[in-house]
Amino acid sequence: MEVKRRTARLLVTRLGSVSEQTRSEALAELRLMTKNDAEPRPIIAEAGAIPYLEETLYSSSHDSQDNAAAILLNISISSRTALMSTRGLLDAISHVLRHHATNSSPFAVQSSAATLHSLLVDDSYRPVIGAKRDIVYSLIEIIKRPNSPPRSVKDALKALFGIALFPLNRANLIGLGGVAALFSLVLKDGRVGIVEDATAVIAQIAGCAESEREFWKVSGVKVLVDLLDVGTGSSERVKENAVGALLNLVSCGGGGVVKQVKEMGPGAVEGIRDVVENGTAKGKSKGIALLKVVEGGAKEWDFAMNTRELPSVEF
């Protein structure tokens, strides 16, 4: 352990070198050191590496930017407090994300989005990160861009999911165009795992008062019910996310949502029943709650309206 400590401190010292080659070599070694070994990560953070890594995210060198972003991601697994207490770190991550289509390397974009997801595991950081509109906007732009690499889209979706777990962030996501971007992915993107991840975020965003109007603009209820149709071949995870989204819409004031689901015919109820019969324990619970509202009329809808704790969705 002492050898790791000395090595880490030496490498961090080299990050401050005037020699670009020395800095680059130190970054490469620190990345390797933190990749599969948890022990050096807090040591590297305590040795003062984070401000250097933050600065390197602005580098025009893709190799340096990649290494710095990867090290920050690795450190975030073990030392979230050290990252969040570093002034300017979120601004540096925002810089990488904002330039996802131009100057930032795809790997740095992916690592930066993944770092946000790692930080958002701590619920105390969700309001802080969610309040950074530039970060939220950039994540939405990544999933909107047709040429974004699949890995970038998936990492951006994971970060958006973490942000949406904090209820007060959901209106911000909606206001920045998140609903249209997410449903566009569901309708147009066939890449493996994308629809599953997008519907998980949709289910969270559905849990706020502003959601019904925005979902109506993109025929969101119809899309969600279509995903429940056995003929669409949706995965079980997608179906459970769709049920969770519909239930959250209803719980946040969706009398109109109940009406839309009923108007879509018996296929909608059949899809919900399929989740009740074949889903996970959480999926079954949500399906039962939604069936009660859809089939039970006003009494159950009033109950849903007064539900304080909305059903959660796992990513």
Side-chain angles (χ1 to χ4, degrees):
M1 185 64 178
E2 187 57 35
V3 173
K4 292 179 183 178
R5 192 181 304 277
R6 288 199 301 269
T7 302
R9 288 173 176 171
L10 177 61
L11 290 172
V12 171
T13 300
R14 289 178 178 173
L15 291 179
S17 172
V18 295
S19 166
E20 183 176 348
Q21 182 176 347
T22 299
R23 295 196 302 273
S24 297
E25 291 172 352
L27 284 167
E29 290 187 52
L30 284 168
R31 178 178 178 179
L32 184 61
M33 193 175 185
T34 59
K35 184 176 181 180
N36 297 315
D37 189 352
E39 284 188 343
R41 294 169 186 165
I43 298 170
I44 290 166
E46 291 165 7
I50 297 174
Y52 290 116
L53 299 171
E54 170 203 315
E55 183 180 347
T56 307
L57 290 182
Y58 294 95
S59 174
S60 59
S61 165
H62 278 190
D63 284 344
S64 294
Q65 194 180 56
D66 286 352
N67 285 332
I71 297 165
L72 286 168
L73 172 57
N74 294 337
I75 290 175
S76 74
I77 299 169
S78 308
S79 303
R80 296 185 180 95
T81 302
L83 263 64
M84 288 297 291
S85 62
T86 301
R87 185 177 179 181
L89 177 71
L90 292 180
D91 291 332
I93 289 176
S94 175
H95 169 83
V96 173
L97 297 176
R98 282 201 315 274
H99 295 89
H100 65 95
T102 52
N103 299 330
S104 298
S105 77
F107 183 85
V109 170
Q110 293 155 21
S111 294
S112 295
T115 298
L116 289 174
H117 179 244
S118 177
L119 293 171
L120 288 159
V121 169
D122 188 325
D123 57 9
S124 67
Y125 298 145
R126 291 169 189 166
V128 178
I129 295 173
K132 299 282 291 183
R133 289 175 62 86
D134 50 341
I135 285 179
V136 178
Y137 178 81
S138 296
L139 291 169
I140 292 172
E141 286 297 304
I142 289 169
I143 69 172
K144 283 173 61 176
R145 182 170 175 257
N147 297 328
S148 290
R151 185 71 257 172
S152 296
V153 174
K154 285 181 70 68
D155 285 323
L157 286 170
K158 288 179 180 179
L160 287 169
F161 180 82
I163 290 169
L165 285 173
F166 183 65
L168 296 182
N169 288 338
R170 294 167 190 167
N172 191 24
L173 282 163
I174 290 172
L176 291 172
V179 171
L182 289 162
F183 275 100
S184 179
L185 278 180
V186 170
L187 292 171
K188 300 177 183 178
D189 202 308
R191 291 176 287 190
V192 175
I194 298 293
V195 175
E196 282 80 359
D197 293 348
T199 51
V201 185
I202 286 171
Q204 290 301 323
I205 291 181
C208 72
E210 295 82 359
S211 59
E212 185 180 2
R213 178 179 174 83
E214 293 302 313
F215 276 54
W216 179 81
K217 290 179 181 178
V218 295
S219 302
V221 173
K222 182 181 185 304
V223 173
L224 292 169
V225 172
D226 284 345
L227 290 174
L228 291 171
D229 191 317
V230 293
T232 61
S234 299
S235 69
E236 288 304 318
R237 184 175 164 223
V238 167
K239 291 178 182 178
E240 290 192 12
N241 289 342
V243 165
L246 290 169
L247 185 56
N248 277 347
L249 280 172
V250 170
S251 300
C252 286
V257 175
V258 176
K259 182 180 178 183
Q260 284 185 68
V261 174
K262 286 182 175 181
E263 289 175 348
M264 293 185 71
V269 173
E270 288 175 10
I272 301 169
R273 288 191 181 280
D274 180 65
V275 172
V276 171
E277 293 171 5
N278 302 306
T280 63
K282 284 190 175 182
K284 290 177 180 179
S285 176
K286 295 172 197 169
I288 291 169
L290 185 57
L291 274 178
K292 286 181 179 178
V293 176
V294 172
E295 295 185 323
K299 183 178 180 180
E300 282 76 9
W301 177 60
D302 288 341
F303 171 78
M305 285 281 288
N306 293 319
T307 299
R308 291 182 177 274
E309 189 171 332
L310 297 175
S312 62
V313 174
E314 291 187 351
F315 201 93

